[in-house]
């Protein structure tokens, strides 16, 4: 009987998975790799430090000046959406670390907008002007604009009357070289600027998904342009092994959870008394308080170089594992998982997947489990039960 029950459950899961709305994620060449190929990475770091964590009114994120973040440089996972009637297509970053949808407006005069797809409100018969001013800050990257409303289609799911931001100013170079046009936030409504209802909340309210769940699979196969997929309405057991381990959300803003501890080489090195972390698809790396991350770099043998932390590629087989214990379950990253490898001009470069970021109280301090972590552990975001499910990915 137990075996038959498991079989029935598996068939049910596969049936559910077959009817889900799958959004393919494309992997693009990272900006870091492009700059390195052009010999401009070092020059770039001297000009600016970048991070893409959303600032809030009661929380600021401060990167240490001599440890610039490379989250933006490594953002590679994007998908397609359309806005309006007839549909206008955009490439967006699906971001569980923010809650707003924005795309460039045809009225934007910034250089960044000129090289990306821009929304033409007058070309859409279903567009409604809202007119509320909008601004958002992602570390050193910011933008401003106005709020509009239209239908938004995400891989077969059409959301009616979705408010979104049309950026009219994207100063600086933060978004100039990005592969994505805009960002679609998947965090809780409490993070949304201007009180806009997030896209996934409208999917739930308009009964467009069977279950109040979405899940993320990210491929770390550098040889494939297929980056993975986001599923709205459930999860796909074919992407993970074993069973999902569920972790309660401790604060409903970001997808925030409790870490029990962090071990390096089998010894508890950080977060010995427990600490808070967020699971964030919009952050490429794993970040933590700068003091802890400096120690982490020492533990793994990473040294500063051209604004990054480099490791000897030949040392990967002797570097320690790093384990995040979450809700009593160990999630272990081997050196191949927590380092990034680029090949440029026939040379191989290996860099640390850890970076320092000081999230200030009351929201911080926080560790951010970004794509380096999610790429190893299939992640299910359950709004119905306010929990995150994690399981090892099937390569």
């Amino acid at each position: 009987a137990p075996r038959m029950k498991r079989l029935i459950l598996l068939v049910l899961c596969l049936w559910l998975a077959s009817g889900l709305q799958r959004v393919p994620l494309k992997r693009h060449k990272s900006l870091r790799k492009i700059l390195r190929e052009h010999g401009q990475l070092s020059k770039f770091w001297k000009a600016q430090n970048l991070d893409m964590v959303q600032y809030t009114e009661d929380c600021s994120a401060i990167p240490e000046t001599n440890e610039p973040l490379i989250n933006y440089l490594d953002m590679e996972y994007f998908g397609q959406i359309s806005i309006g009637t007839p549909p206008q297509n955009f490439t967006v970053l699906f971001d569980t670390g923010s809650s707003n949808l924005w795309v460039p407006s045809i009225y934007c005069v910034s250089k960044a907008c000129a090289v990306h797809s821009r929304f033409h409100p007058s070309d859409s018969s279903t567009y409604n002007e809202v007119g509320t001013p909008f601004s958002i800050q992602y570390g050193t990257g910011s933008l401003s604009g106005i709020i509009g409303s239209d239908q938004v289609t995400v891989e077969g799911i059409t959301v009616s009357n979705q408010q979104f931001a049309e950026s009219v100013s994207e100063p600086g170079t933060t978004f100039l070289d990005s592969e994505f046009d805009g960002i679609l936030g998947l965090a809780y409504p409490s993070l949304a600027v201007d009180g806009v209802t997030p896209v996934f909340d409208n999917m739930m309210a308009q009964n467009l998904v069977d279950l109040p769940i979405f899940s993320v699979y990210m491929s770390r196969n550098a040889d494939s342009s297929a980056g993975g997929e986001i599923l709205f309405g459930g999860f796909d057991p074919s992407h993970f092994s074993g069973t999902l381990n569920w972790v309660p959300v401790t604060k409903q803003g970001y997808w925030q959870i409790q870490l029990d501890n962090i071990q390096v080489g089998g010894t508890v090195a950080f977060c010995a008394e427990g600490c808070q972390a967020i699971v964030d698809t919009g952050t490429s790396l794993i970040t933590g308080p700068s003091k802890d991350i400096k120690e982490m770099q020492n533990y793994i043998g990473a040294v500063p170089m051209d604004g990054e932390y480099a490791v000897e590629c030949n040392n990967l087989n002797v570097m320690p594992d790093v384990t995040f214990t979450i809700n009593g379950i160990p999630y272990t990253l081997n050196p191949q998982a927590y380092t990034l490898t680029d090949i440029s001009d026939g040379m191989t470069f290996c860099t640390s997947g850890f970076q320092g970021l000081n999230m200030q109280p009351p929201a911080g301090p926080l560790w951010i489990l970004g794509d380096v972590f999610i790429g190893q552990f299939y992640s299910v975001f359950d709004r119905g039960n306010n929990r995150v499910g994690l399981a090892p990915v099937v390569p």
Side-chain angles (χ1 to χ4, degrees):
R3 184 178 178 184
M4 179 60 69
K5 186 176 181 181
R6 286 197 301 270
L7 181 60
I8 292 172
L9 182 60
L10 177 60
V11 171
L12 176 62
C13 288
L14 290 173
W15 175 79
L16 283 173
S18 66
L20 297 176
Q21 297 299 326
R22 300 172 184 268
V23 181
L25 297 178
K26 294 294 185 182
R27 174 192 280 273
H28 295 256
K29 183 183 292 188
S30 69
L31 179 56
R32 177 231 295 269
K33 187 169 184 178
I34 294 170
L35 290 169
R36 179 178 281 129
E37 288 175 350
H38 295 164
Q40 296 186 349
L41 188 59
S42 180
K43 178 182 177 182
F44 179 83
W45 284 127
K46 292 175 183 176
Q48 62 188 317
N49 300 334
L50 294 173
D51 72 78
M52 292 292 289
V53 176
Q54 179 186 340
Y55 283 23
T56 61
E57 291 182 1
D58 64 350
C59 165
S60 59
I62 304 175
E64 200 165 82
T65 54
N66 64 348
E67 192 174 31
L69 293 180
I70 52 178
N71 300 342
Y72 163 75
L73 294 187
D74 286 300
M75 282 187 175
E76 298 176 289
Y77 298 94
F78 315 121
Q80 299 292 320
I81 67 167
S82 65
I83 303 175
T85 308
Q88 300 177 40
N89 297 325
F90 298 91
T91 296
V92 296
L93 171 73
F94 290 93
D95 179 22
T96 58
S98 64
S99 297
N100 288 84
L101 167 62
W102 66 264
V103 295
S105 167
I106 189 61
Y107 301 114
C108 178
V109 295
S110 301
K111 288 183 179 178
C113 297
V115 294
H116 288 97
S117 297
R118 293 182 288 178
F119 180 71
H120 298 241
S122 60
D123 289 351
S124 174
S125 62
T126 46
Y127 175 80
N128 288 297
E129 182 179 342
V130 178
T132 307
F134 173 88
S135 64
I136 195 166
Q137 181 87 26
Y138 301 96
T140 53
S142 64
L143 60 96
S144 59
I146 60 169
I147 299 292
S149 175
D150 208 328
Q151 67 178 30
V152 174
T153 299
V154 183
E155 202 66 29
I157 302 177
T158 298
V159 180
S160 303
N161 303 312
Q162 175 64 52
Q163 291 193 6
F164 64 100
E166 305 160 56
S167 71
V168 295
S169 175
E170 297 179 17
T173 59
T174 303
F175 301 109
L176 183 62
D177 297 309
S178 67
E179 294 276 1
F180 58 88
D181 302 312
I183 291 179
L184 191 155
L186 292 167
Y188 281 83
S190 62
L191 275 191
V193 176
D194 291 340
V196 169
T197 302
V199 172
F200 190 66
D201 285 75
N202 275 330
M203 285 186 184
M204 293 187 290
Q206 296 175 24
N207 296 314
L208 301 175
V209 287
D210 289 336
L211 296 172
I213 289 174
F214 63 92
S215 52
V216 178
Y217 163 67
M218 289 183 174
S219 169
R220 301 301 279 180
N221 181 359
D223 297 326
S224 172
S225 63
E229 66 180 16
I230 293 183
L231 269 66
F232 289 101
F235 56 86
D236 187 344
S238 71
H239 283 315
F240 61 88
S241 60
T243 58
L244 289 165
N245 296 304
W246 294 102
V247 187
V249 169
T250 55
K251 184 179 180 181
Q252 297 175 23
Y254 302 112
W255 285 89
Q256 185 169 328
I257 60 175
Q258 170 87 7
L259 289 183
D260 299 343
N261 59 62
I262 302 170
Q263 301 169 42
V264 181
T267 302
V268 174
F270 308 104
C271 186
E273 304 300 320
C275 54
Q276 295 292 298
I278 63 176
V279 184
D280 183 12
T281 59
T283 294
S284 304
L285 309 179
I286 294 174
T287 79
S290 293
K291 178 177 178 294
D292 291 344
I293 292 296
K294 273 191 171 181
E295 291 184 41
M296 178 73 80
Q297 310 291 22
N298 288 333
Y299 278 127
I300 67 174
V303 295
M305 181 182 295
D306 287 343
E308 307 175 275
Y309 271 85
V311 298
E312 285 286 347
C313 298
N314 293 334
N315 289 344
L316 294 185
N317 61 336
V318 296
M319 288 162 57
D321 289 346
V322 176
T323 299
F324 295 83
T325 304
I326 305 171
N327 210 21
I329 304 295
Y331 297 86
T332 298
L333 301 177
N334 62 28
Q336 288 76 15
Y338 66 70
T339 55
L340 307 172
T341 303
D342 285 335
I343 299 176
S344 179
D345 292 332
M347 296 183 64
T348 302
F349 299 88
C350 294
T351 52
S352 168
F354 299 103
Q355 286 288 327
L357 179 69
N358 292 319
M359 301 286 285
Q360 299 302 301
L366 288 173
W367 286 75
I368 301 179
L369 304 178
D371 299 350
V372 166
F373 182 89
I374 298 169
Q376 304 301 318
F377 300 102
Y378 189 80
S379 301
V380 181
F381 300 85
D382 183 353
R383 282 289 301 275
N385 296 290
N386 296 310
R387 59 184 184 172
V388 177
L390 299 170
V393 298
V394 174

